[in-house]
Amino acid sequence: GLFYGRMLRGMQDGCGDRAQLALKRIPDPAAPLLEQITSAQSAQGLIVVSITAQETLRALAACGLPVVFFDCATPEVPGAYDIVVHANEAGGYQAATALIELGHRRIGMLVHGSSNDPATAAIGEIARDRRAGFERALRERGLEPNPAWVRPSIPHSSSAYALTRELLRAPAHETPTALVCTIDEMAAAALAAAKDAGLRVPEDISVAGMGDVGVFSAPALASVRMQVERSGEDAVRMLLERIARPDLAHRKHVLSTEFIARGSIGMPRAE
């Protein structure tokens, strides 16, 4: 995706002429890959991206190499590893707050997870944090999140499109006037779904995303901006520091977020 493409570009910039970056997909289970890497001494350290399964995280943390976890769940084991992550809870809070300040009171959210089924979907830590910030913003202003409008979605455009169409089939007074998506690709799909349902954006419904990955849309997508390239550079820097000094204390680097208002959000429709 675009988010990880930008992150990898930051990692390449961080490596410069100091290190070489090799990409490997982590299999399930991860043991064969880790054995290959450690036995061949083909790597001095690992940057682990977007892993949420604790069993895999434990194996990676215990592999014997310096490790930086980027955009992952927090490992439930102690160890000499480092973490780079964005302020995801703050990002969800910022997006919801911006919509509430425009006058919205019926706000929904699509949360990326393992399925579209609210009863069974596994929601990773990053998505949970973004949803928690969203819900905190609502509750601080006396609004209770509507479970019918806060839905899990497989993080694919087709899934977000179908869920948005489903949300908008109800009578107008029973649908949200604004929708936040925990990743921008889903928000772009929600924009398309709203238009195909005969709605105007933002006159009939506002849509906001998270990631600010530069998805071109009409109207331009409001989004929570994240320091994507810098996060990749920081992950490389922290790994090189840990390789040089294995005795360093555990570090967690949290990058700030900022909500960027654009043409996809506006005041709620009059009813």
Side-chain angles (χ1 to χ4, degrees):
L2 293 172
F3 181 92
Y4 292 110
R6 288 176 56 192
M7 176 270 296
L8 286 169
R9 190 160 62 244
M11 288 184 180
Q12 290 174 320
D13 291 342
C15 285
D17 58 3
R18 299 180 298 165
Q20 292 182 331
L21 184 67
L23 301 182
K24 296 282 188 180
R25 182 179 294 276
I26 298 175
D28 184 18
L33 173 63
L34 294 176
E35 183 178 354
Q36 174 192 352
I37 290 173
T38 54
S39 63
Q41 298 182 331
S42 59
Q44 291 179 282
L46 299 177
I47 297 174
V48 180
V49 179
S50 194
I51 298 296
T52 59
Q54 285 298 326
E55 181 178 356
T56 304
L57 293 171
R58 283 193 294 271
L60 293 163
C63 72
L65 292 173
V67 179
V68 174
F69 292 102
F70 172 81
D71 198 24
C72 293
T74 303
E76 295 174 350
V77 293
Y81 53 77
D82 300 301
I83 297 172
V84 178
V85 69
H86 284 92
N88 289 294
E89 200 271 353
Y93 183 89
Q94 291 162 347
T97 297
L99 292 165
I100 293 168
E101 289 179 347
L102 284 171
H104 291 276
R105 296 298 180 266
R106 306 205 311 265
I107 308 173
M109 187 179 221
L110 297 186
V111 184
H112 63 280
S114 63
S115 79
N116 295 356
D117 185 351
T120 62
I123 307 297
E125 182 176 319
I126 288 170
R128 288 200 307 270
D129 286 348
R130 294 177 183 180
R131 181 180 63 191
F134 167 87
E135 292 178 345
R136 178 168 67 90
L138 266 61
R139 289 184 172 123
E140 283 183 358
R141 292 157 179 82
L143 304 172
E144 192 61 29
N146 186 333
W149 299 340
V150 179
R151 301 281 297 275
S153 172
I154 297 171
H156 296 158
S157 297
S158 57
S159 174
Y161 178 93
L163 276 174
T164 303
R165 290 298 301 266
E166 180 182 330
L167 285 174
L168 298 178
R169 286 194 187 103
H173 66 280
E174 297 177 6
T175 61
T177 61
L179 187 64
V180 177
C181 300
T182 55
I183 57 176
D184 273 351
E185 287 88 344
M186 292 161 56
L191 279 177
K195 292 179 180 179
D196 288 351
L199 300 179
R200 299 166 300 164
V201 179
E203 292 85 355
D204 298 318
I205 185 168
S206 291
V207 178
M210 301 188 71
D212 196 33
V213 297
V215 175
F216 291 98
S217 63
L221 182 64
S223 184
V224 175
R225 174 171 292 165
M226 299 181 180
Q227 302 179 59
V228 186
E229 286 86 357
R230 181 185 165 185
S231 67
E233 292 184 30
D234 287 351
V236 168
R237 173 183 56 79
M238 293 172 74
L239 181 61
L240 292 175
E241 290 172 354
R242 176 147 315 273
I243 291 170
R245 291 190 54 196
D247 59 333
L248 281 173
H250 171 109
R251 297 169 295 174
K252 183 174 183 178
H253 184 36
V254 181
L255 290 157
S256 62
T257 59
E258 177 189 9
F259 185 76
I260 305 299
R262 297 192 180 97
S264 66
I265 65 170
M267 297 176 63
R269 61 183 181 255
E271 296 183 348

